[in-house]
Amino acid sequence: MKRIQSIDFVRGLVMIIMALDHVRDLVMVSTSPDPTDLANTTPTLFMTRWITHLCAPTFVFLSGTSAYLSLKNQTDFSASRRFLFTRGMWLVLLNFTIVNLGIFFDVRFSILFSQVIAAIGFGFIGLALLLRFSTRTLSIVGLIIIFCHDLFQGISFAKGGLLDVIWSLLMGVGFYPVTPHFTFFTTYPYIPWLGIMLAGYGCGELFMLSSEKRKKLFLQIGMGALAVFVLLRTFNIYGDPAPWSFQKTGVFNVLSFINTSKYPPSLLYTLMTLGIMFLLLSAFDALQNTLTDIISIYGKVPLFYYLVHWYLIHVLTMIVFFAQGYHWSDFQYEGFSLGRPKDGGGLNLVGTYLLWITVVTLLYPLCRWYSVYKMQHKEIKWLRFL
């Protein structure tokens, strides 16, 4: 079927924004390890991190939508299930190999990180297992997970025990030093993100509507989600483990209000980010110009972009550190060092933004080439997995 331009555009937009967060992680000089820590941040630094919250929920939601659109005309149920399951397993494998190496640049794999690619992979596996159910049923299950999983966040087990590890993978976050030189780390629990994917899968039917109807409906959904977010957040009723509070200035009051929890994705975090996503889908539905065409290129090849961008950022940050006078022996790769020199180095916020723009610019011709190559070689089956 014909590609839906608004999906490619919104996905491309969040992929571009995502690179900003990763450039910041790898090269920015900061006085605080957490840019959303209101006691040790600035509004500009906070928003540099906050805007990237749009990325993972949008990416996961639209992965579910794309799965629906790619399978809607398939008559072979077994083949559809097999494709989803295989793609899910492939993403899990990529997460713990190529992605893990791309993030840490540590060939010894001293940290094994279960992150968003693994969450999407297990989401596809879960979707494959649930595929016999109707789209409406899967939508309802997804919404139940989104709205209710916060009820279970207070559950805990003996730290480091088997149940604790399983619970962290499914519902929470976990940090497990297995040996002095090897740590397992998870921040994207599979069930909450599966809920977002199932909701996205169910939303696939809405993309079959005319553009005019989609624009109106997505605007209503987006505004409705944000209204529920504002209502619940205003009175700290439910939906996030960290309630907002009055701060030292009005600006910081606003920052506290929108400072929701991503790990795991709380209800309020999900309503806030997906609400904005629906507004973007409405605003850019059927809108096509040079800028949307450029941004859509990134959204047509999201996994290719994701894999390549980590390695490109590392190469460019190494060039920055070399230019600042550091040598190979200064770089640290074990643990959470991410290749940073032992005694500092890096860029300020302006330099970080400039490097981010450089990364996105350099990725464009690569993504455009791969997008064309994939379209011209549909007979190569494995390209569907990249």
Side-chain angles (χ1 to χ4, degrees):
M1 62 171 292
K2 182 180 178 181
R3 297 188 70 93
I4 297 176
Q5 184 270 343
S6 59
I7 292 179
D8 287 334
F9 172 82
V10 172
R11 186 162 50 198
L13 181 63
V14 299
M15 298 298 286
I16 291 172
I17 294 171
M18 174 194 68
L20 172 61
D21 196 41
H22 298 159
V23 171
R24 180 190 59 79
D25 279 334
L26 267 62
V27 78
M28 183 177 171
V29 176
S30 177
T31 57
S32 173
D34 180 8
T36 61
D37 178 5
L38 297 181
N40 298 287
T41 192
T42 65
T44 304
L45 179 58
F46 178 97
M47 293 305 298
T48 297
R49 170 55 176 157
W50 180 87
I51 191 66
T52 65
H53 281 337
L54 299 176
C55 304
T58 300
F59 196 27
V60 174
F61 186 95
L62 293 180
S63 293
T65 301
S66 297
Y68 172 87
L69 295 175
S70 65
L71 298 178
K72 65 177 290 291
N73 294 322
Q74 296 293 328
T75 57
D76 189 337
F77 173 81
S78 296
S80 298
R81 170 176 279 184
R82 186 165 54 250
F83 171 74
L84 283 175
F85 189 86
T86 304
R87 180 165 175 76
M89 292 297 294
W90 170 238
L91 289 175
V92 173
L93 176 63
L94 285 179
N95 180 100
F96 292 114
T97 54
I98 295 175
V99 173
N100 211 99
L101 180 61
I103 294 174
F104 297 102
F105 251 41
D106 179 9
V107 295
R108 292 166 293 186
F109 285 83
S110 60
I111 290 181
L112 205 58
F113 182 24
S114 179
Q115 48 94 262
V116 67
I117 299 300
I120 295 174
F122 281 108
F124 280 138
I125 293 170
L127 181 57
L129 296 176
L130 297 170
L131 202 57
R132 284 196 180 275
F133 294 98
S134 68
T135 303
R136 175 169 294 186
T137 298
L138 294 181
S139 300
I140 293 173
V141 171
L143 290 175
I144 290 173
I145 292 173
I146 290 172
F147 275 84
C148 298
H149 77 85
D150 289 281
L151 294 171
F152 301 91
Q153 291 306 319
I155 296 175
S156 61
F157 299 92
K159 185 63 179 176
L162 178 61
L163 289 178
D164 180 51
V165 175
I166 294 174
W167 185 254
S168 295
L169 287 170
L170 295 180
M171 291 291 287
V173 298
F175 182 83
Y176 303 100
V178 181
T179 73
H181 301 287
F182 176 70
T183 298
F184 178 72
F185 183 40
T186 175
T187 56
Y188 284 80
Y190 303 144
I191 289 181
W193 291 100
L194 172 63
I196 294 175
M197 177 174 283
L198 292 178
Y201 183 85
C203 188
E205 287 189 343
L206 303 183
F207 283 92
M208 299 296 98
L209 301 174
S210 66
S211 175
E212 182 179 350
K213 290 182 178 179
R214 285 200 306 261
K215 285 176 68 71
K216 183 178 180 180
L217 184 57
F218 288 164
L219 176 62
Q220 293 172 342
I221 294 174
M223 294 300 293
L226 292 177
V228 175
F229 161 73
V230 170
L231 175 63
L232 294 178
R233 190 62 164 168
T234 297
F235 298 101
N236 286 324
I237 298 172
Y238 169 76
D240 199 280
W244 81 281
S245 61
F246 288 102
Q247 304 292 314
K248 55 189 176 184
T249 67
V251 171
F252 275 82
N253 288 340
V254 174
L255 299 187
S256 177
F257 194 86
I258 63 176
N259 191 20
T260 52
S261 303
K262 180 181 180 180
Y263 306 112
S266 69
L267 169 61
L268 295 187
Y269 169 87
T270 304
L271 288 171
M272 178 181 69
T273 54
L274 293 186
I276 295 172
M277 179 204 70
F278 274 109
L279 295 185
L280 290 172
L281 286 170
S282 175
F284 290 94
D285 198 305
L287 179 63
Q288 191 165 7
N289 52 44
T290 302
L291 179 61
T292 62
D293 288 344
I294 291 173
I295 293 176
S296 295
I297 288 293
Y298 300 103
K300 291 178 179 179
V301 291
L303 182 57
F304 176 83
Y305 173 102
Y306 188 86
L307 296 177
V308 173
H309 94 289
W310 278 113
Y311 290 85
L312 178 59
I313 294 173
H314 269 290
V315 170
L316 292 179
T317 55
M318 289 172 67
I319 293 173
V320 168
F321 291 133
F322 280 133
Q324 293 179 337
Y326 293 98
H327 303 89
W328 282 111
S329 58
D330 297 316
F331 296 150
Q332 300 180 103
Y333 292 103
E334 188 170 343
F336 290 92
S337 301
L338 300 174
R340 286 177 173 269
K342 297 176 183 178
D343 58 349
L347 300 173
N348 60 17
L349 188 59
V350 173
T352 299
Y353 270 85
L354 291 175
L355 186 61
W356 165 59
I357 294 171
T358 301
V359 168
V360 173
T361 302
L362 292 176
L363 283 170
Y364 178 74
L366 291 173
C367 292
R368 182 176 59 182
W369 164 81
Y370 182 68
S371 176
V372 173
Y373 182 84
K374 188 171 67 169
M375 289 295 295
Q376 293 177 344
H377 294 85
K378 293 183 178 180
E379 76 282 0
I380 305 178
K381 301 296 184 183
W382 65 265
L383 290 179
R384 296 182 69 192
F385 295 95
L386 194 59

